[in-house]
Amino acid sequence: GRVTAPPAGGGGGGSSSTAVSAISVSPGTLTLTAGGATGTITATVSPAGATNKTVTWTSSNEAVATVAGGVVTPLTVGTTTITATTVDGSFTATTAVTVEAAPVVKTALTDAITAANTNKGTATVSTDGTDVDPANKWVTQEVMTAYESAIATAQAVVDNADATQTEVDDAVTALATATSTFDGAKADGTKPVAVNKAALTAAITAANTNKGTVEVSVDGSEVDPANKWVTQEVMTAYESAIATAQA
C-alpha cells in the first residue's frame, strides 16, 4: 500500500522509546463481493521494535465498505480507500477496495422452467373434457395460455443479462404459483370408453350352435342314444341367457 510520511516535526517517543518510522499494508488492492465474505488487510509497522505500533483504520466510503482492525466488510457496489494510520507519527498506508455485485445464480429458475415445460405436456387442451380419455388430464385453453405465459415470463428473466438476484428469485416464486394453479385446474377426461363386444358376439354365436346339439325331451326315452337331450326347462333357461346376452 501507499506510504505517507508524517508531518514535519512528527515522530514519537523520547529517548526511552523507539519511534515509528513507516507503515505498509498488504494487499494494496482488494476486490470483494457486496454482502459477501469479508477481506483482511494486514498492516506492518516499522521498525519491528517500535514502542507504539498501534494502528487506526478508516474507510473513505463507509456506504461501500467498513473496516475494523483491518477486517473489511463489503456492503454495496462501489470503491473505497482503506487507510491505516499509526498513532505514533501518523504514518499512513492505503488499500484500494473495489466491491462488486454478487453473481446472479439462475440455476433454480432454469430448472423450474424445464419442469414447467414438462408439466405442461401432462394435460390436453379441451373445452369440457368430453373428447379426452378418462386416463388423461385436460385443461381449458385459457388455463394453458396462462401457464405458457408464466413460463415465457420466467424465460425472459433468464435471458436478461442484467436481471438481479431478486428478480430471478421472484420469477422462481411466480412460476411455482403458476404451476400450482395449472395443476389445480387439471381434470380427468370424460370421453366415453369404446366397448369391445367381439368376445360377447362370438360367445352368442357359439351358444346358439351349442343349443342345436341337443334335443328337448321329457325323459329322453324317444331320443336316439347317440344324441343328447335336455328338458324344456333347461332349454328355456339357456335360450333366455342367450337373449339376455344379445340384448
Side-chain angles (χ1 to χ4, degrees):
R2 182 170 56 85
V3 178
T4 302
S15 58
S16 62
S17 64
T18 302
V20 172
S21 61
I23 183 174
S24 62
V25 290
S26 178
T29 60
L30 183 63
T31 300
L32 301 173
T33 300
T38 59
T40 300
I41 301 173
T42 302
T44 302
V45 176
S46 300
T51 302
N52 184 359
K53 299 172 72 174
T54 305
V55 174
T56 60
W57 298 87
T58 57
S59 170
S60 64
N61 190 345
E62 292 193 336
V64 172
T66 58
V67 63
V71 177
V72 182
T73 301
L75 302 176
T76 59
V77 175
T79 59
T80 186
T81 298
I82 302 299
T83 301
T85 304
T86 62
V87 171
D88 179 8
S90 297
F91 291 92
T92 61
T94 59
T95 294
V97 175
T98 299
V99 178
E100 298 178 338
V104 177
V105 180
K106 298 181 178 180
T107 305
L109 182 55
T110 55
D111 288 347
I113 291 171
T114 299
N117 278 318
T118 299
N119 188 42
K120 186 181 72 170
T122 63
T124 300
V125 172
S126 175
T127 301
D128 56 10
T130 56
D131 56 340
V132 179
D133 288 334
N136 298 327
K137 299 289 187 181
W138 68 276
V139 295
T140 63
Q141 183 62 61
E142 181 182 8
V143 169
M144 180 62 78
T145 298
Y147 196 34
E148 290 175 334
S149 177
I151 295 172
T153 298
Q155 186 62 54
V157 175
V158 171
D159 295 339
N160 181 6
D162 297 324
T164 65
Q165 190 65 56
T166 297
E167 290 173 333
V168 171
D169 294 343
D170 287 347
V172 171
T173 300
L175 186 54
T177 299
T179 295
S180 179
T181 299
F182 181 77
D183 288 343
K186 291 179 185 177
D188 293 331
T190 57
K191 180 179 179 180
V193 178
V195 179
N196 188 345
K197 298 180 179 181
L200 180 58
T201 299
I204 291 172
T205 299
N208 279 317
T209 299
N210 188 44
K211 186 181 73 170
T213 63
V214 297
E215 298 177 27
V216 174
S217 174
V218 174
D219 57 9
S221 58
E222 78 281 16
V223 178
D224 192 294
N227 297 330
K228 301 289 185 180
W229 66 275
V230 296
T231 63
Q232 184 61 58
E233 180 181 10
V234 170
M235 179 60 77
T236 299
Y238 194 34
E239 290 174 332
S240 177
I242 293 173
T244 298
Q246 186 62 56

